[in-house]
């Protein structure tokens, strides 16, 4: 029996060795070491507070905070790998180099065996700048139309001012903060959510990644109201339209009515939109000309003109020089007021009175429409006095100022 066991011993050893070698070859062919790419792994920035404590902020250059990995391991391991098996970090406190690069560290946190990991990027590129804080007015943009023939009314954001903190180069680009809300179909007063958008001078949205502000990651609420509408007339005060020595001979404007909006209680008593006197012809232009007037600014608080095309109207005016006329008043046509007892007027006048006005106002004017009077309350004894004259004329008729009358008084019955 012993002889049989040891017969061909060398051959048997060689057979076992060959079997082992063959098994190793098969295993390595079937589960060989290979590679697998894992792309766009986000780099986590750590210890950023090292900058914020110094009043600085870090802005990462676009695209440099992602890394592509190539993992080398057996095929059985590669098939089960996930991006979450790797921790990719850049430590601002420990690995900042040259003031603009932060070294990327890759760690495998799985429980398998891998040969090695290669990465296509060694550093995150950063820009370190001063951190600044500024306030911006929040502007509401309403989208859509209310229901039941109503129009858009007020829109009040939950914050009228927004405080934004971030890198100076980003904050200084902000020119306007807007929130858009959809008001389609609403009636009455409702609260609608919107999203804040930061705009630059060209109305392009600004990336808020490195900015800190309220409403960045949540809805920003706006209280919106609806208003009733009414068509009313337009009334101009023309009393100051013409400069001194001129008159307004004609005025017309287009349109002659405007549609206003407000609460029912506000718009019910309104018949005309009253435009104050100082609006017309503030430059004192003469002749025939046109002036554009923004009437929306003369609405009472809470009212508005919903159609922006109706905010401005075109006023056509013709400012012409005054015509003048002269009238001679003699003593019997002059009123002497407060004449002291025991005195009488022995001689006065005549007095030439010059009046001016528009031709249409002067044409029907007569002497009976003009009153000339002198106050003699200061004349207590006989003598000759030069006294100021008061002239009263119809509206729109101007009287030359500074008229004086020489009056001689004597004792009554001295003849």
């Amino acid at each position: 029996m012993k002889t049989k066991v040891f017969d061909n011993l060398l051959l048997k050893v060689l057979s076992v060795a060959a079997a082992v070698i063959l098994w190793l070859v098969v295993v390595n062919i079937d589960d060989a070491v290979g590679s697998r790419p894992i792309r766009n792994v986000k780099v986590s920035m750590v210890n950023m507070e090292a900058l914020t404590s110094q009043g600085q902020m870090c802005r990462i250059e676009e695209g440099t905070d992602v890394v592509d990995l190539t993992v080398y391991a057996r095929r059985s391991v590669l098939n089960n790998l996930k991006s979450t098996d790797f921790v990719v970090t850049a430590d601002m406190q420990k690995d900042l180099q040259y003031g603009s690069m932060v070294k990327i560290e890759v760690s495998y946190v799985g429980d398998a065996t891998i040969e090695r990991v290669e990465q296509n990027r060694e550093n995150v590129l950063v820009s370190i700048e001063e951190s600044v804080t500024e306030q911006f007015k929040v502007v509401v943009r309403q989208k859509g139309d209310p229901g039941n023939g109503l129009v858009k009314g007020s829109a009040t954001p939950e914050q009228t001012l927004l405080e934004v903190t971030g890198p100076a180069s980003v904050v200084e680009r902000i020119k306007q903060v807007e929130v858009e809300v959809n008001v389609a179909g609403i009636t009455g007063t409702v609260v609608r959510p919107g999203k804040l958008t930061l705009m630059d001078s060209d109305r392009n949205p600004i990336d808020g990644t490195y900015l800190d502000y309220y409403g960045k990651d949540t809805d920003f609420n706006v209280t919106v109201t609806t208003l009733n509408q009414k068509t009313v007339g337009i009334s101009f005060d023309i009393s100051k339209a013409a400069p001194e020595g001129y008159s307004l001979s004609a005025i017309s404007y287009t349109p002659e009515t405007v549609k206003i909006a407000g609460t029912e209680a506000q718009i019910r008593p309104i018949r005309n939109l009253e435009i104050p006197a100082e609006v017309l012809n503030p430059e004192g232009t003469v002749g025939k000309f046109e002036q554009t007037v923004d009437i929306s600014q003369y609405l009472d608080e809470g009212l508005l003109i919903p159609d922006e095309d109706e905010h401005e109207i075109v006023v056509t005016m013709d400012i012409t020089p005054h015509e003048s006329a002269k009238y001679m008043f003699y003593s019997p046509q002059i009123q002497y007021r407060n004449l002291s007892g025991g005195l009488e007027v022995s001689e006065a006048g005549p007095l030439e009175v010059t009046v001016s006005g528009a031709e249409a106002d002067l044409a029907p004017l007569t002497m009976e429409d003009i009153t000339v009077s002198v106050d003699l309350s200061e004349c207590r004894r006989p003598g000759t006095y030069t006294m100021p004259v008061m002239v009263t004329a119809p509206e729109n008729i101007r009287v030359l100022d500074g008229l004086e009358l020489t009056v001689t008084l004597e004792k009554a019955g001295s003849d």
Side-chain angles (χ1 to χ4, degrees):
M1 185 71 176
K2 182 177 180 181
T3 302
K4 290 183 179 181
V5 171
F6 289 97
D7 285 349
N8 301 317
L9 180 59
L10 179 60
L11 181 59
K12 291 178 180 177
V13 170
L14 291 174
S15 297
V16 171
V20 171
I21 292 171
L22 180 60
W23 178 82
L24 290 172
V25 169
V26 170
V27 168
N28 279 279
I29 291 176
D30 189 53
D31 194 17
V33 173
S35 65
R36 176 188 169 188
I38 299 179
R39 304 191 185 280
N40 297 322
V41 181
K42 187 74 172 178
V43 180
S44 297
M45 305 297 296
V46 297
N47 288 325
M48 297 287 278
E49 62 274 11
L51 292 176
T52 56
S53 63
Q54 303 175 34
Q56 295 178 312
M57 294 194 72
C58 170
R59 185 163 56 87
I60 300 171
E61 297 298 328
E62 186 175 358
T64 70
D65 60 342
V66 291
V67 64
D68 293 339
L69 304 178
T70 302
V71 184
Y72 292 86
R74 291 193 177 277
R75 187 173 302 165
S76 58
V77 174
L78 293 176
N79 290 338
N80 295 315
L81 285 179
K82 305 180 294 296
S83 61
T84 53
D85 291 328
F86 299 88
V87 175
V88 184
T89 60
D91 193 321
M92 285 295 301
Q93 189 171 29
K94 180 170 68 76
D95 294 325
L96 179 62
Q97 307 171 65
Y98 310 114
S100 62
M101 295 188 300
V102 187
K103 185 179 178 181
I104 297 173
E105 296 284 351
V106 180
S107 301
Y108 173 63
V109 295
D111 54 6
T113 300
I114 62 175
E115 298 290 326
R116 68 183 187 278
V117 179
E118 295 178 354
Q119 59 197 70
N120 73 325
R121 181 184 299 282
E122 296 297 326
N123 298 287
V124 175
L125 300 181
V126 298
S127 174
I128 298 174
E129 342 179 7
E130 177 189 4
S131 174
V132 298
T133 299
E134 288 192 24
Q135 288 186 330
F136 300 89
K137 180 181 178 181
V138 178
V139 177
V140 178
R141 303 292 181 193
Q142 300 185 59
K143 181 177 69 173
D145 295 310
N148 298 337
L150 301 172
V151 297
K152 302 169 188 174
S154 63
T156 306
E158 58 181 294
Q159 285 186 198
T160 55
L161 288 177
L162 184 71
E163 187 173 272
V164 181
T165 300
S169 64
V170 180
V171 175
E172 68 184 11
R173 291 178 52 220
I174 302 173
K175 300 305 177 186
Q176 185 159 289
V177 175
E178 295 183 2
V179 57
E180 183 179 84
V181 291
N182 189 349
V183 298
I186 71 169
T187 60
T189 299
V190 298
V191 177
R192 283 285 172 94
K195 184 171 180 59
L196 287 169
T197 303
L198 312 182
M199 300 285 192
D200 64 16
S201 57
D202 296 323
R203 295 195 52 74
N204 297 316
I206 294 174
D207 183 4
T209 301
Y210 301 104
L211 301 174
D212 182 30
Y213 54 91
Y214 177 73
K216 174 181 177 180
D217 301 315
T218 58
D219 287 333
F220 193 88
N221 290 328
V222 179
T223 302
V224 291
T225 62
T226 56
L227 300 174
N228 296 285
Q229 300 185 82
K230 180 180 181 180
T231 299
V232 298
I234 303 170
S235 178
F236 283 95
D237 183 342
I238 62 172
S239 62
K240 298 181 181 179
E244 190 75 18
Y246 291 81
S247 59
L248 176 64
S249 61
I251 181 172
S252 62
Y253 45 89
T254 303
E256 295 182 346
T257 60
V258 64
K259 187 174 288 186
I260 63 173
T263 65
E264 181 64 28
Q266 285 177 309
I267 65 177
R268 186 184 302 113
I270 299 177
R271 296 290 178 266
N272 288 290
L273 180 57
E274 306 289 341
I275 311 300
E278 59 270 15
V279 172
L280 289 181
N281 196 19
E283 303 299 326
T285 305
V286 298
K288 190 171 184 178
F289 62 97
E290 291 182 349
Q291 178 187 346
T292 300
V293 177
D294 182 357
I295 60 175
S296 64
Q297 58 187 305
Y298 304 108
L299 292 165
D300 291 338
E301 185 177 357
L303 299 176
L304 57 85
I305 298 175
D307 187 347
E308 290 190 4
D309 291 338
E310 294 186 355
H311 284 200
E312 293 185 341
I313 65 173
V314 178
V315 182
T316 301
M317 290 172 279
D318 191 7
I319 308 292
T320 57
H322 279 170
E323 300 286 336
S324 63
K326 295 181 179 182
Y327 298 89
M328 191 66 71
F329 285 81
Y330 295 91
S331 184
Q333 298 167 305
I334 300 173
Q335 297 179 6
Y336 302 103
R337 296 184 291 110
N338 301 316
L339 180 62
S340 296
L343 294 177
E344 63 182 12
V345 177
S346 64
E347 185 179 351
L351 176 69
E352 184 178 78
V353 176
T354 301
V355 297
S356 62
E359 182 180 0
D361 294 325
L362 284 179
L365 188 69
T366 66
M367 286 188 64
E368 286 71 23
D369 299 317
I370 302 172
T371 301
V372 177
S373 62
V374 180
D375 184 359
L376 298 176
S377 59
E378 297 181 2
C379 305
R380 299 299 183 182
R381 54 179 57 87
T384 299
Y385 301 89
T386 300
M387 305 299 295
V389 175
M390 177 180 293
V391 179
T392 304
E395 187 179 5
N396 298 328
I397 298 298
R398 183 180 180 278
V399 180
L400 185 67
D401 295 331
L403 291 178
E404 292 182 334
L405 179 67
T406 300
V407 180
T408 298
L409 303 181
E410 62 182 22
K411 290 183 179 181
S414 59
D415 292 342

